Amino acid sequence: MKILRIILCIAVALMAVVSCTPKKEAPNKETPKVLVLYYSQTSNTRTVAQEIATRLNADIEEIALVEPYDTAFQATIDRCKADREKGILPEIKPLKSNIADYDWIFIGYPIWFGTYAPPVASLLEKIDLSDKWVVPFCTFGSGGLESSVKDLEAKQPNAKVMPGYGVRAARIDAVPGEVELFLKSIGLIEGSFFKPADFPEQHPVSADEDAIFDAAVNGYRMLNAKATTVASRTIVDGTEYLFTAQDMRQDVNPSDSQLTSEIQVYVTVEKGKSPVFTKVVR
């Protein structure tokens, strides 16, 4: 009986020790390693790239050409057209970064000819983004994010490509706020954010809505369109409109009977500000 009491006392003492010992904390989820790659002919795409890298404390590297484009816009376009006709891509310098070291790869570019600029096409021929989270971002005159994302998915079918972020060059001042919202929406930075509802069904454009559309696209020479239907939704500090419009094409022979095509034009009207279009989806 005495031995049994001793055994019980020892057992109780051991239980007390175990109960007082702090539990091991679950290991923290490892912070993903992020790399921001970008090509910038002007400073616009660089501005977006630096904003993303700063917010994520990410590594950043510029995609550099062996023979840089001319700084003159038309000379660059002429060279790109000549290369496209020959089916060649510009030669780029080797990356200093090792893609294998990163979990998330941001790829930034200006939109040229409806998709990512040729230096990015050259990059995608040289690297393998399989199983990486890939986030496209771009700057443009009117649009091209959606088409460039599709092209990137086709070129890197084993990558996990996110929808991406795009901004008009005319709205480059909006980048800090929009990048913060975008990074929150994909879960790379913490914080609450306003998520707008889906657009409702479209209806014929009213006179007031037609005036909003015209005010937003007025002065942009590459967009000659007439709105037909529209839907709207509430956003932070205002209203966003999604217009369906007929685009009077300017790149066809006047004898061509197909002079128009249907496009979608996104327009925002913030409180106290004039309407501005944010992107066009063709």
Side-chain angles (χ1 to χ4, degrees):
M1 182 66 71
K2 185 175 181 181
I3 294 175
L4 180 60
R5 286 197 193 99
I6 293 173
I7 293 173
L8 288 173
C9 289
I10 294 173
V12 170
L14 287 173
M15 289 177 64
V17 170
V18 171
S19 63
C20 293
T21 302
K23 294 182 180 179
K24 288 184 178 181
E25 295 290 332
N28 292 328
K29 186 177 180 180
E30 187 176 350
T31 302
K33 290 197 67 178
V34 181
L35 172 65
V36 179
L37 296 173
Y38 72 96
Y39 174 75
S40 186
Q41 177 69 3
T42 64
S43 62
N44 291 328
T45 307
R46 181 179 296 108
T47 295
V48 183
Q50 290 173 339
E51 185 70 29
I52 292 170
T54 298
R55 296 221 177 233
L56 296 178
N57 193 27
D59 293 336
I60 184 170
E61 182 173 348
E62 184 171 8
I63 301 164
L65 289 173
V66 173
E67 295 183 14
Y69 289 118
D70 195 298
T71 54
F73 173 78
Q74 192 56 51
T76 296
I77 295 301
D78 291 342
R79 176 178 162 185
C80 288
K81 285 182 177 179
D83 286 349
R84 283 163 61 90
E85 290 173 359
K86 297 175 184 177
I88 62 176
L89 292 172
E91 185 179 355
I92 60 173
K93 296 180 181 180
L95 291 179
K96 297 176 182 177
S97 305
N98 183 7
I99 296 294
D101 293 341
Y102 297 91
D103 308 296
W104 289 71
I105 312 292
F106 282 73
I107 300 181
Y109 44 84
I111 296 293
W112 293 356
F113 304 102
T115 190
Y116 39 72
V120 172
S122 296
L123 174 73
L124 295 175
E125 291 286 348
K126 296 177 179 295
I127 62 175
D128 182 9
L129 297 174
S130 296
D131 299 322
K132 304 293 184 184
W133 290 100
V134 178
V135 187
F137 64 95
C138 61
T139 57
F140 46 74
S142 60
L145 171 64
E146 291 77 11
S147 55
S148 68
V149 170
K150 288 180 181 179
D151 291 342
L152 200 161
E153 289 174 330
K155 181 58 66 174
Q156 297 281 339
N158 296 318
K160 296 174 283 192
V161 182
M162 302 291 285
Y165 167 74
V167 62
R168 284 183 64 207
R171 299 183 58 254
I172 203 70
D173 289 345
V175 164
E178 291 187 352
V179 163
E180 179 182 3
L181 176 62
F182 174 69
L183 295 178
K184 286 179 178 178
S185 73
I186 62 174
L188 282 181
I189 61 175
E190 296 181 353
S192 60
F193 63 95
F194 177 83
K195 182 179 180 181
D198 293 335
F199 282 104
E201 185 176 349
Q202 294 211 341
H203 59 265
V205 173
S206 68
D208 288 342
E209 290 164 336
D210 193 41
I212 289 172
F213 179 84
D214 289 343
V217 303
N218 182 41
Y220 188 72
R221 64 184 182 84
M222 300 298 290
L223 182 58
N224 180 22
K226 179 64 178 175
T228 55
T229 60
V230 65
S232 63
R233 63 183 179 183
T234 299
I235 58 173
V236 176
D237 294 332
T239 303
E240 182 178 31
Y241 296 85
L242 172 55
F243 288 93
T244 298
Q246 293 298 316
D247 185 23
M248 302 302 295
R249 295 166 58 191
Q250 301 177 358
D251 58 346
V252 296
N253 190 308
S255 63
D256 192 336
S257 60
Q258 299 296 320
L259 292 178
T260 64
S261 61
E262 192 172 83
I263 60 175
Q264 291 184 312
V265 182
Y266 289 75
V267 172
T268 61
V269 183
E270 296 183 359
K271 294 176 182 177
K273 296 184 180 180
S274 299
V276 59
F277 84 87
T278 57
K279 68 177 178 178
V280 175
V281 179
R282 290 182 167 85

